[in-house]
Amino acid sequence: MWAILMRVSINLGVSHLRSIVAIAEYESFTSAAHALGVSQSSLSRSVAEAERRLDVTLFERTTRRVELTSHGREIVEHARRMLTDFDDGLTQIERFVTGDRGIVTVACLPARRHIPAPYVVDVRERHPMCGSRSGTGCVRRSSMPSTRARSTWHW
């Protein structure tokens, strides 16, 4: 007996997910459209497209209410997690690009390598997502081991 496996290809964008989650939260196309800053007709088209691509009905619509279907509840749960991860990722990228995240390397005298200078403390307080490395500035250029100390601070 042969089993045929089909891979389902679902092509939903972030805007589809945001639309679905907003309608689920506001229980209204009008309120969700207002919150997203789009027209109600644009939001309706986005959801209809998502439903067509997923081949499921996400919402039961009446003239007075919008309720999630069982498929809709399941998809909204996943969509919320995906949007949270997506937004967190964008925040991390923004911090990296704007300099709020990264590693600051500081050269110092061997005797002071374990004592953070006041400006390092200031940078740490203003940019909590940044790490710091300190060292004496010695870089090994030959096969001989370096005698200068090097340390790394992680915070």
Side-chain angles (χ1 to χ4, degrees):
M1 180 159 46
W2 292 86
I4 299 174
L5 299 176
M6 293 177 53
R7 182 168 185 237
V8 177
S9 177
I10 299 171
N11 186 10
L12 290 181
V14 174
S15 62
H16 291 109
L17 299 177
R18 290 197 193 284
S19 297
I20 293 164
V21 169
I23 294 166
E25 288 176 0
Y26 289 97
E27 298 179 340
S28 160
F29 276 73
T30 303
S31 298
H34 181 72
L36 293 171
V38 299
S39 69
Q40 183 178 342
S41 61
S42 173
L43 182 66
S44 294
R45 280 192 304 274
S46 179
V47 171
E49 184 178 344
E51 289 177 324
R52 183 183 54 76
R53 290 180 181 186
L54 293 168
D55 196 27
V56 297
T57 301
L58 299 171
F59 300 98
E60 291 293 332
R61 302 157 176 91
T62 67
T63 55
R64 296 178 184 250
R65 294 187 66 124
V66 176
E67 288 184 6
L68 284 166
T69 63
S70 59
H71 287 108
R73 281 189 294 278
E74 185 75 25
I75 288 168
V76 165
E77 182 182 320
H78 292 290
R80 281 189 176 121
R81 284 196 305 263
M82 291 169 66
L83 289 170
T84 298
D85 289 345
F86 181 78
D87 291 340
D88 289 348
L90 285 179
T91 300
Q92 295 303 318
I93 290 169
E94 180 182 24
R95 286 180 177 161
F96 181 76
V97 170
T98 61
D100 284 342
R101 181 182 173 104
I103 297 175
V104 176
T105 302
V106 180
C108 58
L109 296 172
R112 294 194 41 98
R113 73 177 187 272
H114 296 292
I115 304 169
Y119 59 86
V120 173
V121 173
D122 182 54
V123 168
R124 180 181 172 193
E125 289 172 355
R126 287 188 293 131
H127 304 281
M129 297 301 292
C130 287
S132 174
R133 280 193 294 242
S134 70
T136 61
C138 179
V139 176
R140 187 183 301 181
R141 297 194 186 275
S142 68
S143 60
M144 295 180 62
S146 170
T147 57
R148 295 197 177 162
R150 195 161 182 88
S151 65
T152 301
W153 303 330
H154 294 285
W155 47 61

